Every structure is written in structure tokens, then in C-alpha cells.
Amino acid sequence: ASWYNGLAVSLNKRISKGLQFLASYTWSSSLSTSQGFATGTQLGGVDTGDQNHPRARYGWDNFDRPQRFILSWVYQFPAFDHRSFAMRKVLGGWSVAGVTTIQSGQRLTVTATNVQNVFGTLSDRAPASSASGCGTHFVNSGTVQSKLTNYINASCFDLSNYAVIGDDGIGTDFGNSGIGEVTGPDQNNWDLSFQKATALSERVQLQFRSDFFNAFNHPQFANPDLNLGEVALQLGIVAPNAGFGTITTTSTNPRVLQFSLRLVF
């Protein structure tokens, strides 16, 4: 089950004096009992945690970005009709456009593999540590670029902290860390485009266009590795994932330039 609530606001300016734009802002909350199940890649995804207690699995869904702002705009430069023929051809027909995307990070949940789970569900939420001072500080401070190898505060989680509930003194309960405690990297992307339209005749037009995707070459980082590791205490195995909390990829390309020339008739 899932619940989505959102506030959507938009501002639209129709073209006047060469300018038009559409600005949209969404403030949302998406909560569910099966995070990522509907958006997974393996036959609908893989559920984690106790499937018999939806309340224990209730929390932030991991696809939602609570705040999202989109601005798309176009500006057509003046036609310079009062200039000479040559100047009109050089200076006229120019326009610039852009799309800006600014959005907060996704709400993420730290997971682990626990082969001692008494219910047989190996994929689980990670256990919280007993360390004090975590509170809501599940992400280390600083810029994303400064913590690519330690984005998540690892002291807030402890593989050996699963609660033993089996009569054999081995079988454990489910992990007790929260859902959506980790906020992923946000996104700030700007795409720009410049276009020059030159009339060759009444029916023929030559268009030159240059596009700049991620125009300012701002790195847009993907989510960190959320797998804390694997534990099997009865076998003496506590194997933390060396890559936990590490960001190794970006969510968008670096700056990409594209040039095109088109004849319209």
C-alpha cells in the first residue's frame, strides 16, 4: 500500500516581448509499506523486512524527491529591423532557451544480508547501532564531493547488533534501523540552447542550433551504496561491505555539446 500527498504550483508566462517561461514546483510526500517494490527491476522488486507487519515496513518510499523545481524558458532577441540588411542577417533571428532542474535527494534505506533471520528473510534493513549522537545525522556533513567515499555515517549502523530471539540463541529478529533515514544527493542541472534562424527566402530558412546539456558541468552524483554487508554470527562471519556509503557514479553526463544545422523549406 502507498500514500502520496503533494502540493503542485506552476507559473506560466505566454510569449510577450520575446520571453515565455513555465515554472513548476512540487512539494510531496510518498509513504508506503513496500519501498521500491513497484519500481524495482526484478519482477517488480524485492521486499525487505517483516512481510507480516506492514506497520513495521511503513515509511518513505525511495523513488520520491520531496522537493522538485523545474523552469523551462525561451527568449527571442529583438529583430533589429532598423539596422542595415547585413546587420539584420547577422544580429537578427537569435534565441536562447533553457531547462533548469533542481530537486532534493531521494529518501534511502540502509540494508544488509542476515542469514540468521529466524523467519528466513535474508534481505533486511540494517540494524541500528547503539552509538549515541546519531539522531538524524545519518549523512556526514560537507559537500557531496567531499564525502564520496563516506557519504553515510557508518557509526549509526552495526551488523552485529541484530537482536537474537531464537530458542537456539542463534536466530535473530529483523533489523531495526529506520526507513528513509538517509537522504541521497540532490540535483541541480541546467540545459541551455542557442539558435540562429536566417531567412534565405520567403519559404526557405536556415537554422543553426547549439545545445549545452549540463551547461555548467556541475557533477550530479548518484545514490551511495546502501548495502551494509553480510552477517552470520553462528559461523563467525561479520563481513562489512567495503563499499558501503560510497558514491561511484553520477546520475547525469558531464557537459555535452551538440551542434546542428537545418534547412527548413
Side-chain angles (χ1 to χ4, degrees):
S2 64
W3 298 262
Y4 175 87
N5 293 280
L7 169 70
V9 181
S10 65
L11 178 64
N12 184 18
K13 181 186 184 302
R14 297 185 178 182
I15 189 166
S16 62
K17 297 183 179 180
L19 176 65
Q20 68 176 15
F21 66 81
L22 173 63
S24 302
Y25 170 75
T26 303
W27 178 36
S28 64
S29 168
S30 181
L31 301 167
S32 76
T33 59
S34 302
Q35 288 75 21
F37 189 73
T39 56
T41 58
Q42 299 176 353
L43 302 178
V46 177
D47 264 347
T48 59
D50 189 349
Q51 304 307 301
N52 293 320
H53 295 86
R55 183 178 293 276
R57 305 196 325 271
Y58 174 79
W60 289 93
D61 217 327
N62 57 10
F63 71 86
D64 185 44
R65 293 182 181 269
Q67 297 194 69
R68 179 175 167 88
F69 174 76
I70 305 292
L71 173 66
S72 59
W73 54 275
V74 178
Y75 177 69
Q76 296 177 346
F77 289 93
F80 297 98
D81 292 333
H82 60 287
R83 300 285 185 173
S84 64
F85 177 80
M87 291 295 287
R88 290 200 304 272
K89 291 296 183 182
V90 174
L91 300 178
W94 283 97
S95 63
V96 60
V99 177
T100 300
T101 302
I102 301 174
Q103 57 188 3
S104 56
Q106 296 168 276
R107 300 300 296 265
L108 309 173
T109 301
V110 175
T111 60
T113 300
N114 177 22
V115 301
Q116 295 175 222
N117 184 281
V118 73
F119 301 97
T121 303
L122 306 187
S123 179
D124 192 10
R125 297 202 307 273
S129 73
S130 56
S132 61
C134 266
T136 58
H137 299 90
F138 298 100
V139 175
N140 289 316
S141 60
T143 64
V144 177
Q145 202 155 1
S146 68
K147 53 188 177 186
L148 294 179
T149 59
N150 61 337
Y151 183 86
I152 300 175
N153 184 359
S155 66
C156 296
F157 308 93
D158 185 358
L159 274 177
S160 61
N161 208 31
Y162 280 106
V164 176
I165 61 173
D167 292 338
D168 57 3
I170 295 176
T172 67
D173 199 357
F174 290 94
N176 61 348
S177 62
I179 296 172
E181 290 180 325
V182 175
T183 301
D186 57 13
Q187 187 174 9
N188 185 338
N189 188 72
W190 298 68
D191 296 332
L192 297 175
S193 175
F194 297 89
Q195 179 172 295
K196 172 73 166 70
T198 304
L200 302 181
S201 68
E202 292 184 359
R203 300 181 60 184
V204 181
Q205 186 183 77
L206 183 66
Q207 295 180 353
F208 169 75
R209 182 183 178 99
S210 56
D211 299 298
F212 300 80
F213 303 99
N214 191 5
F216 303 117
N217 205 30
H218 179 67
Q220 319 284 322
F221 292 105
N223 292 327
D225 189 336
L226 298 168
N227 177 24
L228 186 64
E230 181 177 348
V231 59
L233 290 179
Q234 78 275 26
L235 300 178
I237 297 175
V238 178
N241 174 21
F244 173 67
T246 299
I247 297 176
T248 58
T249 60
T250 56
S251 58
T252 63
N253 289 320
R255 183 192 296 120
V256 175
L257 279 66
Q258 175 179 285
F259 300 95
S260 60
L261 192 63
R262 184 170 66 169
L263 186 66
V264 181
F265 57 92

